[in-house]
Amino acid sequence: MTGLFNSFFLIVYSLSGISKIMSFCSRSTEEIFGLFISIAFAVDSVKYIVNEFDHFYCFPEDYVGNATGDVVKRAAAGVYYECDPAKPLLSVLLLITTVYVGVAIFNFKYSRYLNADKRVLVADYSLVIGVAAGAFIGSFIFKHIELKKFIVDETRPLFQAANFQYPPAAAVGAALGLGFMISILFFMEGNIAESIVNNPSNKLKKGSAFHLDMFVTGVINAILSIFTLPWCTVLCPTLLSTSEL
């Protein structure tokens, strides 16, 4: 229900032309938002690495004899994790590899190899190449180390509509408030991302479509919300498709 309210507000924003206020957005605001997105991704990555070390960076002998304070606390609570230091260390290796390869490929456009157009073409796929390199190392070279995988409930139908029968008034009010706040976040990130893409320095040949993108995002998220699927946003695809646009 929160997603439906979010989609409703996005469609209202698009039909009312409220995206016009982005003409007052300065370049500094765009840069600050880009920095915020970078920090958010970096924090999530670090949190995952810290969690891996907290769960798996231990040794079997720690539970027998020289137990650290953390291990004693876990044992007292009846919580035991598999001791496998290779898992967090591999996670760090994959993190460094992905970042290094991505940055190295992105900086390839400043090298002396190939011509300018081909260097830019290779640099445009730096993120894809970096992720592919990390995935290859983790899945094939270190395939004997089993990392955490995304759990999929294969018994649940993929397209199963949510149950909206007679929700209480309190739930509707809470969903309305959350949907409005989330719509503000979607509005800000979508419009600022498009402002970055439509910067004159990118020399795009086609005009901008702020309201159309907002409308399409609202319709797609409404459908996803009905089937309780994750929402989508225009942020990353828009920023990554600048060259293609």
Side-chain angles (χ1 to χ4, degrees):
M1 185 175 295
T2 300
L4 291 178
F5 280 121
N6 173 35
S7 300
F8 168 76
F9 286 118
L10 290 178
I11 294 175
V12 170
Y13 298 157
S14 64
L15 296 178
S16 60
I18 197 173
S19 294
K20 294 179 180 178
I21 65 174
M22 295 307 298
S23 60
F24 301 101
C25 180
S26 63
R27 181 63 181 271
S28 62
T29 304
E30 299 173 2
E31 297 295 339
I32 291 173
F33 186 79
L35 177 62
F36 167 76
I37 295 298
S38 301
I39 293 175
F41 281 120
V43 169
D44 284 342
S45 300
V46 172
K47 287 172 61 177
Y48 174 82
I49 296 298
V50 171
N51 184 66
E52 288 288 292
F53 272 92
D54 183 54
H55 284 185
F56 300 109
Y57 194 76
C58 57
F59 301 91
E61 56 268 21
D62 289 339
Y63 290 96
V64 183
N66 299 327
T68 63
D70 185 47
V71 172
V72 171
K73 188 183 300 183
R74 292 179 186 173
V79 179
Y80 297 92
Y81 297 106
E82 176 188 358
C83 290
D84 191 357
K87 290 185 177 181
L89 294 177
L90 178 59
S91 299
V92 173
L93 175 63
L94 296 180
L95 173 65
I96 296 175
T97 300
T98 303
V99 174
Y100 176 79
V101 173
V103 173
I105 297 298
F106 180 78
N107 291 330
F108 182 76
K109 60 183 178 182
Y110 303 115
S111 68
R112 296 175 294 178
Y113 301 102
L114 304 178
N115 55 44
D117 293 336
K118 293 181 180 178
R119 290 199 300 266
V120 172
L121 178 63
V122 174
D124 287 340
Y125 292 93
S126 58
L127 177 60
V128 177
I129 297 174
V131 173
F136 177 80
I137 293 175
S139 301
F140 295 97
I141 299 180
F142 294 99
K143 61 181 180 181
H144 59 284
I145 301 177
E146 185 177 354
L147 296 177
K148 185 186 299 183
K149 298 180 180 179
F150 184 76
I151 300 176
V152 178
D153 186 4
E154 298 182 355
T155 61
R156 179 184 181 276
L158 179 59
F159 296 100
Q160 181 179 5
N163 185 9
F164 293 104
Q165 295 182 359
Y166 307 109
V172 175
L176 176 63
L178 289 174
F180 175 73
M181 289 187 289
I182 295 173
S183 70
I184 296 296
L185 176 61
F186 271 65
F187 174 83
M188 292 298 297
E189 71 171 6
N191 281 283
I192 292 179
E194 291 192 46
S195 297
I196 297 174
V197 170
N198 287 287
N199 191 285
S201 62
N202 291 327
K203 301 178 181 179
L204 298 183
K205 296 181 179 180
K206 295 185 178 181
S208 59
F210 290 87
H211 303 107
L212 178 59
D213 288 342
M214 192 74 61
F215 180 83
V216 173
T217 302
V219 172
I220 293 176
N221 284 336
I223 298 174
L224 294 175
S225 298
I226 292 175
F227 294 102
T228 65
L229 296 173
W231 302 325
C232 72
T233 177
V234 300
L235 176 61
C236 289
T238 301
L239 294 177
L240 293 176
S241 303
T242 302
S243 299
E244 288 77 3
L245 291 173

